[in-house]
Amino acid sequence: MDVATVLNKVQDARLLSKVSELGLLSKAEAAGITLTDLVPLLRLADEFGAVSILASVIDEPYVPQLIDLAPKLLPLAGTALNIDPSLLYIAAIGSLGAAAAEVVVIPDDSLQLVALQTFLAILLGAVVPAASLVGAFVLGYKK
């Protein structure tokens, strides 16, 4: 799928209209976040190769389904802007604790259980804490 097709899907789904109707930009501004504030994060994302990853992912077959899901997920984005950044720091620490606990609690006597341990350890020990810390940084940037 090329960029033009993705943009057409976004237009057909009226994503920008729904962002406006839900007041996401107003909520972001009320939380002290402006689009200008995100420029350093976008530059950082570009330095780490996120833009090139996005360029390669945009051709994946699941992108249309994600675009179709976006209008349903927009209310969650508005709610997320009201989260206190300290809660995200706590979530990151809790997730690290959960990762350690699951390795201890889940027995490693079968291949399936070791695979489950590995999956949960990566999810709870890396993905969730990283997402929580980035979210806390973005939400706390202007507060």
Side-chain angles (χ1 to χ4, degrees):
M1 174 180 307
D2 62 355
V3 173
T5 306
V6 171
L7 291 176
N8 285 334
K9 285 281 284 179
V10 168
Q11 182 177 353
D12 291 343
R14 299 185 55 237
L15 284 180
L16 297 178
S17 297
K18 292 181 183 188
V19 165
S20 175
E21 290 167 10
L22 291 170
L24 288 180
L25 295 178
S26 300
K27 289 179 182 179
E29 187 176 354
I33 300 170
T34 65
L35 294 178
T36 305
D37 296 329
L38 297 179
V39 169
L41 291 174
L42 294 174
R43 286 189 183 129
L44 187 64
D46 186 33
E47 287 175 21
F48 284 109
V51 174
S52 62
I53 291 171
L54 180 61
S56 65
V57 168
I58 208 161
D59 290 327
E60 295 295 328
Y62 55 81
V63 171
Q65 288 83 11
L66 290 177
I67 292 171
D68 291 339
L69 274 176
K72 296 173 184 123
L73 296 176
L74 285 175
L76 292 176
T79 303
L81 288 173
N82 296 322
I83 294 175
D84 185 3
S86 62
L87 292 176
L88 292 175
Y89 288 120
I90 292 169
I93 293 167
S95 182
L96 289 171
E102 67 86 15
V103 170
V104 172
V105 171
I106 297 174
D108 55 354
D109 52 3
S110 72
L111 182 62
Q112 292 84 0
L113 290 176
V114 171
L116 178 63
Q117 275 185 350
T118 305
F119 172 75
L120 289 175
I122 292 170
L123 180 67
L124 298 172
V127 176
V128 172
S132 296
L133 293 175
V134 168
F137 175 76
V138 169
L139 291 175
Y141 184 70
K142 292 296 278 191
K143 288 186 178 178

